[in-house]
Amino acid sequence: MLDTARPLRGGEPAPADDPAGGARPGRLVVQRGPFTGPTHLVPEDLYAEVLRGAARRERDVIELVPATHVTTNTYWGRLHATYWQRWTAVPEVRVTLRAAGRGRVWLMASDTNKVARAVATTGVDATGSTTVELTGAIDRFVDGGGLWLEFATDTGTLTVSDVEWTVAVPRPPRPTSITICTYNRVEDCLNTLQALLDDPAALARVGCVRVVDQGSDPLESRDRFATLAAAFGDRLAYQRQPNLGGAGGFTRGLYEATAGDPADDHDVLLMDDDVLLDPEIVVRLTGFAACTTAPTIVGGQMLNLLHPGHVHITAEYAEPEKLRVGKPVPGALEEGFLLGRDERLLPIVQEQRVDTEYNGWWSCLIPAPIVRAIGYPLPLFFQWDDVEFGYRARERGFATVSLPGAGVWHADFGWKDWDEWHRYFNQRNGLITAALRTGFDRRTVSATVVELLAQYLVAMQYGLAATLLTAIEDFLRGPSVLDDGSASAAAEIRRIRAAYPETTAVPLAEAGLDVRESVVHLAGGKPSKIVRTWVKRALLQATGRVPFRSGMVPAGEAHWWHVSLFERAIVTDMAENGVRIRTRDQERLRELTTRGVHTVRRLWNEGPQVAREWKAAEPRLTSRETWARLYDAGRADSGNVAHRGPDIGR
């Protein structure tokens, strides 16, 4: 997709190959114009919207009947020019397409406030297919705005196909590989591999697709995998290794990409195994990364799998000292409905440029020079590994861009219950990140822990309280807790939580509820005086005067100040496939309160010194030697490499 034969711009021929034998600059396809998604479950209007009339769509073709107007001012249809002007030096973009019939094509642009303007236009009146080319300058988009196409017919029909957005590149793109980390999601991972195979042009952008399989149900046990592996040929590298979590799986790709001489390194596009993939994201992330003025982490955005018209958050930040992650940057879309309209009846798009502070690794391209400069991810197993790496890169001067119009559909976070075993990693790794990337203000950290623990206890989430305390205690053990890549911690926290019945969801039919317990109780508004409310709830519980002996609480109503009014609460699991039964247990309460007081006192007294120990250990924890030891330790049990692709970068 790098066309070195076409002129650069203004008819000027491309320069000859350089004397050293390197590839000459040319034009790079940085975005295509699909008109439908990877499945009919994905709304077509995320790609193109029929404003008037009717149109028949295929993946790369759209046919307009008479009196029809179509716009690509949509999530997948726009080129988000504001990001291009901010992070690249590309002066203009060229759009080419094939058209047949009679109609008109516009290249449109928007300002920061969504006001549209025409940049270029041409009429089409051809019985056969003809090439249309339009050029737009990337020059008035510093604060916001984008570019898109519109098509219209009057009395005739118009067919448009093969839309490509290209830019002149000053140097050949760095080689890129894909790393997919998988753990017992065989069919999902195979579907992702199939999606890549189904788009040869996107697959051509990468040299190697590496699957790091850490599960007990391996991909290679399926006949379908053998078929896919044969289709990939030597471009597929399949590796088995012990379960080191997402951090261990994704780092394996970075580890292999930087195994040899720096001149032979390649960038790595990290990809979750359980996403619904539109391979167009490969073209867009690699295209943008090839044009940035400095090495830049380029992240894809997360679209909600259960609600595919929604984007999770378009730009995020974290507050490690408050153990908060996934906070929307001001101006970002949060759970934005991409098919909706604003108060002016204009499309919901990320018009304003909003710069993120990190990007989740559901799909994220990491340049090899950044790995060379800042080291590898921490062996955190999972949770906060992507956050910490992003903030570490920022400290060293490397930005992260969360690129609109480049997303993958991932399981909705809002349908995942907070009270799960992996919350341990969220809390422990948040503390580690606070130690490494902040001043570790012990007042803020301790106050956060006390607030969480107090809420968990009055809400009868005893297992979650034990999870939090274990996370703090392990953080205070210092860097040695990561010596095995946290594999033992993952097993231990599951064992601990198994002693607390409310941590497990049970089917409603098996909950054994009588009619009196089936009454649903809705919560009131959030109290204005949180501390006073908590004290009142604690006193009611201590005196046995809570107003409700039993009842059902919907998932969205399960706030601590509401659930704490029950002696026994049947709370809907966030996934809504069962319930969790929380029962008042005074013995558990006393035990966890005593332990909590001791643990918080330790955090206050020992926390600053332990934070310094974590900081001192950072070079070792992020070193190649640490990951080499972790990978070598499990080599005997990792199984054979079933298929090995080319050793790019060696």
Side-chain angles (χ1 to χ4, degrees):
M1 298 182 72
L2 178 60
D3 182 0
T4 58
R6 301 174 70 177
L8 289 177
R9 52 184 177 129
E12 178 185 355
D17 292 346
D18 65 58
R24 63 187 181 187
R27 297 200 69 83
L28 180 69
V29 177
V30 296
Q31 182 167 313
R32 298 174 296 177
F35 297 107
T36 62
T39 168
H40 291 300
L41 295 175
V42 171
E44 293 180 328
D45 283 358
L46 289 176
Y47 293 81
E49 182 182 4
V50 180
L51 299 177
R52 183 182 70 249
R56 189 183 71 83
R57 316 177 202 211
E58 297 178 5
R59 175 64 171 175
D60 301 315
V61 181
I62 190 166
E63 298 176 357
L64 287 68
V65 304
T68 294
H69 188 179
V70 171
T71 180
T72 64
N73 188 20
T74 62
Y75 181 82
W76 286 97
R78 292 166 56 96
L79 182 130
H80 293 264
T82 181
Y83 290 81
W84 282 86
Q85 186 165 353
R86 170 63 181 89
W87 299 107
T88 80
V90 172
E92 65 179 24
V93 61
R94 181 185 300 165
V95 191
T96 60
L97 55 90
R98 301 291 294 173
R102 181 180 178 184
R104 181 159 290 276
V105 180
W106 290 268
L107 177 60
M108 302 292 294
S110 60
D111 302 324
T112 305
N113 59 3
K114 292 189 178 181
V115 175
R117 53 191 168 90
V119 173
T121 185
T122 186
V124 178
D125 192 354
T127 55
S129 180
T130 186
T131 298
V132 173
E133 184 175 288
L134 302 170
T135 300
I138 301 178
D139 61 351
R140 295 179 180 271
F141 304 100
V142 170
D143 290 335
L147 293 161
W148 68 90
L149 293 172
E150 295 195 1
F151 318 111
T153 58
D154 42 32
T155 59
T157 62
L158 179 67
T159 299
V160 176
S161 64
D162 303 317
V163 176
E164 290 185 341
W165 302 69
T166 66
V167 301
V169 288
R171 61 188 181 277
R174 282 189 301 271
T176 303
S177 66
I178 292 177
T179 292
I180 301 172
C181 173
T182 186
Y183 178 82
N184 290 352
R185 286 177 172 145
V186 176
E187 292 305 316
D188 289 336
C189 189
L190 293 177
N191 290 341
T192 299
L193 291 174
Q194 184 65 62
L196 290 170
L197 279 176
D198 290 343
D199 193 332
L203 185 58
R205 298 296 280 265
V206 298
C208 171
V209 176
R210 184 179 307 279
V211 177
V212 181
D213 192 341
Q214 303 183 133
S216 57
D217 183 14
L219 265 67
E220 62 183 346
S221 66
R222 303 295 202 278
D223 292 340
R224 185 182 172 198
F225 174 76
T227 302
L228 291 172
F232 273 103
D234 62 2
R235 301 187 68 177
L236 178 67
Y238 175 70
Q239 291 179 288
R240 296 281 305 281
Q241 68 181 33
N243 186 19
L244 294 170
F250 286 134
T251 300
R252 188 63 184 250
L254 301 173
Y255 180 90
E256 299 292 346
T258 53
D261 188 274
D264 298 325
D265 287 350
H266 57 285
D267 298 349
V268 182
L269 174 52
L270 306 177
M271 188 80 67
D272 262 352
D273 59 347
D274 59 342
V275 298
L276 174 59
L277 175 65
D278 188 327
E280 174 65 15
I281 192 176
V282 177
V283 175
R284 299 190 183 190
L285 295 188
T286 58
F288 191 86
C291 298
T292 55
T293 54
T296 302
I297 298 172
V298 185
Q301 296 179 339
M302 176 184 147
L303 305 168
N304 290 340
L305 186 61
L306 288 175
H307 306 90
H310 290 75
V311 61
H312 174 50
I313 299 175
T314 55
E316 301 179 68
Y317 73 97
E319 296 177 305
E321 291 175 323
K322 295 183 178 180
L323 305 184
R324 294 175 182 170
V325 69
K327 306 289 290 183
V329 172
L333 297 179
E334 181 181 13
E335 299 305 323
F337 182 46
L338 299 172
L339 305 177
R341 290 288 191 270
D342 63 13
E343 66 280 357
R344 293 181 292 166
L345 302 182
L346 297 174
I348 300 294
V349 292
Q350 185 65 66
E351 199 75 67
Q352 176 186 355
R353 194 192 79 250
V354 181
D355 296 331
T356 195
E357 299 191 357
Y358 69 91
N359 198 94
W361 285 354
W362 40 75
S363 185
C364 189
L365 188 149
I366 299 180
I370 295 181
V371 179
R372 290 281 186 182
I374 75 171
Y376 295 93
L378 290 168
L380 296 177
F381 199 79
F382 76 150
Q383 304 275 337
W384 285 84
D385 48 339
D386 45 8
V387 180
E388 189 279 331
F389 190 87
Y391 276 104
R392 192 180 349 140
R394 284 175 65 84
E395 288 181 8
R396 310 288 178 84
F398 298 106
T400 297
V401 175
S402 187
L403 188 64
V408 291
W409 286 271
H410 186 281
D412 305 31
F413 285 168
W415 285 62
K416 294 185 177 183
D417 205 279
W418 183 262
D419 192 358
E420 294 288 353
W421 65 273
H422 47 72
R423 198 57 52 203
Y424 161 87
F425 290 99
N426 181 281
Q427 294 162 339
R428 187 203 69 178
N429 297 347
L431 290 169
I432 294 172
T433 303
L436 296 176
R437 309 269 74 87
T438 76
F440 199 81
D441 178 32
R442 64 179 176 180
R443 287 182 174 83
T444 301
V445 175
S446 299
T448 297
V449 167
V450 168
E451 180 181 5
L452 291 175
L453 182 61
Q455 293 175 3
Y456 297 161
L457 291 176
V458 298
M460 300 175 286
Q461 292 182 290
Y462 305 119
L464 189 53
T467 301
L468 172 62
L469 295 175
T470 303
I472 299 168
E473 291 160 357
D474 285 355
F475 164 76
L476 292 173
R477 285 171 53 194
S480 64
V481 75
L482 301 185
D483 283 351
D484 68 344
S486 296
S488 61
E492 178 64 11
I493 195 61
R494 290 179 192 240
R495 185 193 66 78
I496 291 171
R497 287 173 56 85
Y500 299 89
E502 83 282 354
T503 62
T504 303
V506 297
L508 190 58
E510 300 176 12
L513 307 181
D514 62 31
V515 174
R516 292 168 296 177
E517 291 180 308
S518 299
V519 177
V520 175
H521 296 262
L522 303 181
K526 183 177 181 179
S528 58
K529 298 180 179 179
I530 295 294
V531 175
R532 180 180 297 181
T533 299
W534 184 89
V535 171
K536 288 182 177 179
R537 298 295 189 269
L539 288 174
L540 286 174
Q541 293 177 6
T543 58
R545 293 187 292 112
V546 291
F548 305 113
R549 292 304 161 193
S550 186
M552 296 189 69
V553 179
E557 305 286 321
H559 312 293
W560 66 265
W561 63 83
H562 180 51
V563 178
S564 56
L565 296 172
F566 293 79
E567 190 69 26
R568 183 172 185 263
I570 297 90
V571 180
T572 306
D573 185 77
M574 285 300 296
E576 295 203 28
N577 53 17
V579 295
R580 296 170 183 251
I581 301 176
R582 305 186 198 175
T583 305
R584 185 78 48 213
D585 189 327
Q586 295 296 340
E587 184 177 346
R588 292 274 199 198
L589 179 62
R590 285 191 295 271
E591 169 198 334
L592 291 167
T593 300
T594 301
R595 179 183 172 191
V597 170
H598 174 70
T599 302
V600 171
R601 184 181 294 119
R602 283 191 61 204
L603 181 63
W604 176 270
N605 293 330
E606 303 172 27
Q609 174 57 35
V610 172
R612 288 190 287 271
E613 293 174 9
W614 279 102
K615 190 65 178 175
E618 180 182 336
R620 174 178 63 82
L621 294 173
T622 60
S623 69
R624 184 174 182 85
E625 290 73 23
T626 286
W627 283 105
R629 176 180 57 78
L630 290 171
Y631 294 139
D632 288 344
R635 180 173 294 173
D637 300 322
S638 63
N640 296 322
V641 176
H643 300 272
R644 186 171 183 84
D647 285 332
I648 303 175
R650 290 197 171 192

